[in-house]
Short mmCIF file of all heavy atoms in Angstrom, two decimals:
data_model
loop_
_atom_site.label_atom_id
_atom_site.label_comp_id
_atom_site.label_asym_id
_atom_site.label_seq_id
_atom_site.Cartn_x
_atom_site.Cartn_y
_atom_site.Cartn_z
N MET G 2 21.27 26.44 87.30
CA MET G 2 22.59 27.03 87.05
C MET G 2 23.60 25.95 86.71
O MET G 2 23.47 24.81 87.16
CB MET G 2 23.07 27.74 88.30
CG MET G 2 22.25 28.93 88.65
SD MET G 2 22.25 29.25 90.40
CE MET G 2 21.31 27.94 91.04
N ILE G 6 34.08 25.15 82.77
CA ILE G 6 35.49 25.43 83.07
C ILE G 6 36.26 25.08 81.80
O ILE G 6 36.33 23.90 81.43
CB ILE G 6 35.99 24.58 84.26
CG1 ILE G 6 35.07 24.77 85.47
CG2 ILE G 6 37.44 24.92 84.60
CD1 ILE G 6 35.36 23.82 86.65
N ALA G 15 33.87 28.04 69.70
CA ALA G 15 34.08 26.94 70.64
C ALA G 15 34.28 27.50 72.05
O ALA G 15 34.02 28.68 72.31
CB ALA G 15 35.31 26.13 70.20
N ILE G 35 37.62 30.64 83.21
CA ILE G 35 38.53 30.59 82.07
C ILE G 35 39.87 29.95 82.46
O ILE G 35 40.50 30.35 83.43
CB ILE G 35 38.77 32.00 81.49
CG1 ILE G 35 37.45 32.60 81.02
CG2 ILE G 35 39.78 31.94 80.34
CD1 ILE G 35 37.60 33.88 80.23
N GLN G 41 42.28 32.61 68.00
CA GLN G 41 41.96 31.62 66.96
C GLN G 41 40.74 32.02 66.16
O GLN G 41 39.99 32.93 66.51
CB GLN G 41 41.73 30.25 67.60
CG GLN G 41 40.47 30.16 68.44
CD GLN G 41 40.16 28.74 68.89
OE1 GLN G 41 40.02 27.84 68.08
NE2 GLN G 41 40.08 28.54 70.20
N LEU G 65 31.63 29.80 93.42
CA LEU G 65 30.86 28.82 94.20
C LEU G 65 30.55 29.29 95.63
O LEU G 65 29.62 28.80 96.25
CB LEU G 65 31.61 27.48 94.24
CG LEU G 65 31.70 26.75 92.90
CD1 LEU G 65 32.43 25.43 93.05
CD2 LEU G 65 30.31 26.51 92.29
N ILE G 68 27.21 31.25 94.40
CA ILE G 68 26.14 30.65 93.59
C ILE G 68 26.12 29.13 93.85
O ILE G 68 27.14 28.47 93.67
CB ILE G 68 26.39 30.92 92.08
CG1 ILE G 68 26.64 32.44 91.87
CG2 ILE G 68 25.22 30.45 91.24
CD1 ILE G 68 26.87 32.83 90.43
N SER G 81 48.23 19.28 82.94
CA SER G 81 47.99 18.27 83.98
C SER G 81 47.70 18.91 85.32
O SER G 81 46.84 18.46 86.07
CB SER G 81 49.23 17.40 84.17
OG SER G 81 49.51 16.74 83.00
N GLU G 89 40.09 18.34 92.09
CA GLU G 89 39.97 18.53 93.55
C GLU G 89 38.76 19.40 93.89
O GLU G 89 38.01 19.11 94.83
CB GLU G 89 41.21 19.24 94.09
CG GLU G 89 42.35 18.31 94.45
CD GLU G 89 43.61 19.11 94.79
OE1 GLU G 89 43.51 20.29 95.21
OE2 GLU G 89 44.69 18.54 94.60
N VAL G 92 35.42 17.55 93.45
CA VAL G 92 35.15 16.66 94.58
C VAL G 92 34.73 17.47 95.80
O VAL G 92 33.72 17.18 96.44
CB VAL G 92 36.40 15.80 94.90
CG1 VAL G 92 36.19 14.99 96.17
CG2 VAL G 92 36.72 14.88 93.72
N LEU G 96 30.28 18.46 92.72
CA LEU G 96 29.64 18.85 91.46
C LEU G 96 29.42 17.64 90.57
O LEU G 96 30.27 16.75 90.49
CB LEU G 96 30.52 19.87 90.70
CG LEU G 96 30.85 21.17 91.44
CD1 LEU G 96 31.71 22.06 90.56
CD2 LEU G 96 29.57 21.90 91.83
N MET G 104 41.55 17.84 73.59
CA MET G 104 43.00 17.63 73.42
C MET G 104 43.53 18.34 72.18
O MET G 104 44.58 18.94 72.21
CB MET G 104 43.29 16.14 73.27
CG MET G 104 42.95 15.36 74.52
SD MET G 104 43.06 13.59 74.22
CE MET G 104 42.39 12.98 75.76
N LEU G 111 47.17 21.56 68.65
CA LEU G 111 47.20 20.97 69.99
C LEU G 111 46.57 21.92 71.01
O LEU G 111 46.92 23.09 71.06
CB LEU G 111 48.65 20.71 70.41
CG LEU G 111 49.20 19.30 70.27
CD1 LEU G 111 50.55 19.20 70.95
CD2 LEU G 111 48.24 18.25 70.83
N SER G 113 46.39 20.87 74.35
CA SER G 113 46.79 20.36 75.67
C SER G 113 48.29 20.11 75.63
O SER G 113 48.89 20.02 74.57
CB SER G 113 46.05 19.06 75.97
OG SER G 113 46.31 18.10 74.96
N GLY G 116 51.27 14.99 79.20
CA GLY G 116 50.79 14.42 80.47
C GLY G 116 49.31 14.63 80.73
O GLY G 116 48.74 14.07 81.66
N ASN G 128 35.73 11.21 88.65
CA ASN G 128 34.77 12.09 89.32
C ASN G 128 33.71 12.62 88.36
O ASN G 128 33.01 13.60 88.66
CB ASN G 128 35.52 13.27 89.96
CG ASN G 128 36.50 12.77 91.00
OD1 ASN G 128 36.11 12.04 91.91
ND2 ASN G 128 37.77 13.12 90.88
N ILE G 147 40.60 3.84 66.39
CA ILE G 147 39.18 3.79 66.01
C ILE G 147 39.00 4.11 64.53
O ILE G 147 39.22 5.23 64.09
CB ILE G 147 38.35 4.77 66.87
CG1 ILE G 147 38.53 4.43 68.36
CG2 ILE G 147 36.87 4.71 66.48
CD1 ILE G 147 37.82 5.39 69.31
N GLY G 170 29.89 10.60 67.53
CA GLY G 170 29.92 9.98 66.21
C GLY G 170 30.08 10.92 65.03
O GLY G 170 29.79 10.55 63.90
N GLU G 190 21.55 12.55 63.13
CA GLU G 190 21.68 12.88 61.71
C GLU G 190 22.84 13.87 61.53
O GLU G 190 22.92 14.86 62.25
CB GLU G 190 20.35 13.51 61.26
CG GLU G 190 20.26 13.76 59.79
CD GLU G 190 19.02 14.60 59.46
OE1 GLU G 190 18.12 14.69 60.31
OE2 GLU G 190 18.99 15.16 58.38
N LEU G 191 23.73 13.57 60.60
CA LEU G 191 24.83 14.51 60.34
C LEU G 191 24.42 15.48 59.24
O LEU G 191 23.82 15.09 58.25
CB LEU G 191 26.09 13.76 59.90
CG LEU G 191 26.86 12.99 60.97
CD1 LEU G 191 28.19 12.53 60.38
CD2 LEU G 191 27.10 13.82 62.21
N ASN G 196 29.81 24.81 59.29
CA ASN G 196 29.58 25.42 60.60
C ASN G 196 29.69 24.41 61.75
O ASN G 196 28.82 24.33 62.60
CB ASN G 196 28.21 26.09 60.65
CG ASN G 196 28.03 27.07 59.51
OD1 ASN G 196 28.96 27.79 59.19
ND2 ASN G 196 26.88 27.06 58.89
N GLY G 201 31.50 19.93 69.48
CA GLY G 201 31.80 19.12 70.67
C GLY G 201 31.49 19.89 71.95
O GLY G 201 30.95 19.33 72.91
N GLY G 211 20.88 19.79 80.30
CA GLY G 211 19.79 18.83 80.53
C GLY G 211 19.83 18.28 81.95
O GLY G 211 18.82 18.30 82.67
N ALA G 213 21.22 19.55 84.53
CA ALA G 213 20.96 20.62 85.52
C ALA G 213 19.45 20.86 85.69
O ALA G 213 19.02 21.42 86.67
CB ALA G 213 21.66 21.91 85.10
N SER G 221 19.04 13.54 78.23
CA SER G 221 19.90 14.73 78.03
C SER G 221 20.79 14.54 76.81
O SER G 221 21.01 15.47 76.02
CB SER G 221 20.78 14.97 79.26
OG SER G 221 19.99 15.32 80.37
N TRP G 238 29.72 30.66 60.37
CA TRP G 238 31.10 30.52 60.86
C TRP G 238 31.25 29.34 61.81
O TRP G 238 32.09 28.49 61.65
CB TRP G 238 31.62 31.79 61.53
CG TRP G 238 31.62 32.94 60.60
CD1 TRP G 238 30.85 34.07 60.68
CD2 TRP G 238 32.38 33.07 59.40
NE1 TRP G 238 31.09 34.88 59.62
CE2 TRP G 238 32.02 34.30 58.81
CE3 TRP G 238 33.31 32.27 58.75
CZ2 TRP G 238 32.56 34.74 57.61
CZ3 TRP G 238 33.87 32.70 57.57
CH2 TRP G 238 33.49 33.93 57.01
#
Side-chain angles (χ1 to χ4, degrees):
M2 294 151 290
I6 306 172
I35 299 190
Q41 68 172 303
L65 292 181
I68 309 181
S81 298
E89 273 172 25
V92 173
L96 301 180
M104 296 171 187
L111 260 190
S113 58
N128 299 306
I147 303 176
E190 187 189 343
L191 286 190
N196 306 319
S221 294
W238 300 114

